[in-house]
Each structure stands twice: as C-alpha cells, then as structure tokens.
Amino acid sequence: MTAPRPLHHPLPHPLHSAGPPVWDVTRAAGLGALPASPDALAFLPDLRAALAGVLVAAGGVDLVFVGRSPEPLRAYLGGLLWGVGVPWRVSGLNVSLLNATLDAGQVRTLRPLLAGAGLHPRELVRSGRRAALVDVVASGGTFAELHRALRDWAQEDGLGGRCVTRRVRLVGLLRGGYARPAAQRWNAQSGLRGVQARSVLTGAALWSWLAEDGGKVAPRFPADTWAAPPGGLPARDPERLAALAQARTLFLLGQRRDERAVMTAALNAAGGQRVAAVRALCGAWRGAASPLPERGGRLPRHRPAG
C-alpha cells in the first residue's frame, strides 16, 4: 500500500492549510478504503449556495478559511478550482478560538500560522494583496481575536493597524433566523470597527452540519497546543474516515464540468455577474475541460445496508 502523504502544498494550492498535518484528499493513493458519504450529497444544494455567497462577498480577494467548520466548503472549492487558474489564493487556517482570549505568548505562537495562511501584514502590504477570513459565525469572537492579533503585529512592524483593517475583510456564515442578538450583530463589535464584514445567511441544517454535527478532517488545534503542534497525521478512527470520504466526494464533484455549470447558476443567483472575479471564474470553467480523475478517483457510492 502506498504510504500516506500529509497535505503540505505551498500556496496557492487551494487545499493548503496552516496547522497540523492532514490527509491529502486530492490523491486516492494513501487514503485507503473510505465509507460512503451521503451527507456530503444531501447538503450539496445548500453548500453550493453558501459557497456562492462567500465568493460574491469576498469579491476576488484571497480566501482564508478559518478553523474546521468550513472544511466542506473548502474541499468543494478545491475541486472547482482544480486545473483552473485564478489570481486569488485559497488557504486554511486551522486554529480553534471559540470563546478564547489570547495572551501575549499565544499571540506570538499564532504569527507563524497566520504567515503560513498568507496573512503576514508586511507581505500583504508589499504585494498589495487583500484577503477575506471565512468562518461559520456563532458570536464573531474568533474574527475579533484574529483581527486584533494581525493589527498588533502590523503595529509592532511599524506598519500601523489600519493597513490590516483595509486589507483583511471578513465573511461570516450566519444561520438564517438565528435568535441570538450577539450573532446577528457579530460585525458590530468594537474590535472590528472599520473592518469590511459581510454575512452569508445559511439554513439551520447546513449551519449545524458545518459548525457542530459534521465530521472533521483536521484535528482540533486550540491555542495551548500551537507551540508544540502534533507531528503525525490524525488517527483513522470512524469519524475521521467519514470526514475524509466527505471531503474526497466534494473535491471530486467540484472537478466535473456539469457540477461547475450548476455552480455557475448558483453564483449567478447570488449576484456573481456583478463581481469581475466571479465572472472570470465562470468563463474559465466554460473554457476548461473537466480534469481527468486519477485512477481510483470515482465518487464513493452509497451502499445500502444488508
């Protein structure tokens, strides 16, 4: 059996992630036998709409998916971008910051992770690039902590915090009809004053699947482990295998020409024709052939029990 390979591609590989090593779902070799993934297909229409909203809200800047909740969005987007050239980068920042307030030491250990996701303030200024942090929103606290860490870093480097305020925007996936006022007003926090922030409304079922119920490919990575991250790949327990099957299914779906046509319709419904980067992406899909899947790259099929 081929040895498993962690996913450590340099930017701008769309499934690059700053954080502990994870299994490479872009390659069948090394993944081993995976279960069927009916959840990924059941949520696909809502996932398309959510991703379309994210791409339109981001407006063609670099995308940084925060934590583990947006994993299905990124796996699907990784397939959609496979073999297609776009000027914006996609990466992940696997940090767990729910209800966390970082101390000075944790902020220092966070900086290499931010840099690994393409968020070094000096590099953003030097290159003229802009980025959008994307996450599922409960209260907005994760966004506030990350933005504070970036602004403090920029100030220490003599750049001033405003360079981060101008260059790093926020896109939050918010559960539609959510009753908690803190969630509805997540982008009005004092720590996010002046930051461009957009909410993308999702249905309750998709939001819960992303934030709470769905399996995760990556391990949880809270602040007290940043200084000494795990060195090996996560264990292949049943929950992890289900998450790998889900990510692999979404990645392969995104490569299909017919799926890209359906996603084009979702982008148009979300107002994508008003965004130059989205129009260019849809045009690239029309002009590109579907990438040939590697051997063993067929979609997992649901097998009835019994």
Side-chain angles (χ1 to χ4, degrees):
M1 176 178 170
T2 305
R5 297 171 58 173
L7 182 58
H8 278 312
H9 296 281
L11 289 170
H13 186 285
L15 293 182
H16 164 86
S17 189
V22 294
W23 297 88
D24 185 349
V25 299
T26 70
R27 299 173 180 270
L31 286 178
L34 297 176
S37 184
D39 281 356
L41 302 179
F43 285 103
L44 186 59
D46 290 338
L47 195 72
R48 284 191 199 105
L51 181 58
V54 166
L55 294 178
V56 171
V61 304
D62 296 346
L63 296 173
V64 180
F65 290 87
V66 178
R68 305 189 304 163
S69 295
E71 281 183 357
L73 290 163
R74 196 157 63 97
Y76 179 50
L77 180 59
L80 290 169
L81 297 181
W82 201 256
V84 177
V86 292
W88 34 275
R89 300 170 176 173
V90 181
S91 62
L93 175 64
N94 178 21
V95 292
S96 303
L97 279 169
L98 184 63
N99 300 321
T101 301
L102 302 179
D103 60 33
Q106 290 167 338
V107 168
R108 285 193 296 272
T109 58
L110 175 62
R111 288 178 181 177
L113 296 166
L114 293 170
L119 292 171
H120 194 304
R122 189 169 295 281
E123 286 301 307
L124 288 173
V125 171
R126 182 193 61 79
S127 65
R129 304 189 73 87
R130 297 175 185 266
L133 304 181
V134 182
D135 194 10
V136 175
V137 171
S139 67
T142 293
F143 280 148
E145 282 298 297
L146 290 174
H147 230 278
R148 178 175 68 87
L150 284 166
R151 291 196 306 271
D152 289 350
W153 192 4
Q155 288 173 340
E156 286 184 25
D157 276 5
L159 301 170
R162 284 179 56 82
C163 77
V164 170
T165 301
R166 292 194 304 268
R167 286 177 172 81
V168 181
R169 67 187 64 174
L170 308 172
V171 179
L173 291 155
L174 183 66
R175 190 167 78 183
Y178 204 31
R180 287 177 57 188
Q184 296 287 5
R185 298 194 303 269
W186 69 269
N187 53 2
Q189 299 181 57
S190 59
L192 298 178
R193 188 174 293 116
V195 179
Q196 183 178 341
R198 297 275 300 277
S199 292
V200 175
L201 296 181
T202 73
L206 177 68
W207 192 96
S208 297
W209 181 60
L210 293 173
E212 299 167 350
D213 302 331
K216 311 301 180 189
V217 171
R220 190 170 179 273
F221 196 35
D224 58 3
T225 64
W226 293 344
L233 288 162
R236 291 173 59 85
D237 54 52
E239 181 179 352
R240 192 82 61 196
L241 290 174
L244 286 169
Q246 170 184 289
R248 177 73 177 163
T249 297
L250 291 169
F251 172 73
L252 291 174
L253 273 170
Q255 296 182 53
R256 292 184 165 188
R257 179 181 286 273
D258 57 348
E259 184 63 31
R260 290 173 174 181
V262 177
M263 187 60 190
T264 297
L267 285 164
N268 289 340
Q273 287 303 309
R274 298 192 298 269
V275 180
V278 172
R279 293 197 304 271
L281 175 60
C282 295
W285 284 337
R286 287 193 298 270
S290 298
L292 292 175
E294 60 181 279
R295 187 174 181 179
R298 291 191 296 270
L299 293 176
R301 294 183 179 179
H302 176 63
R303 295 182 179 85

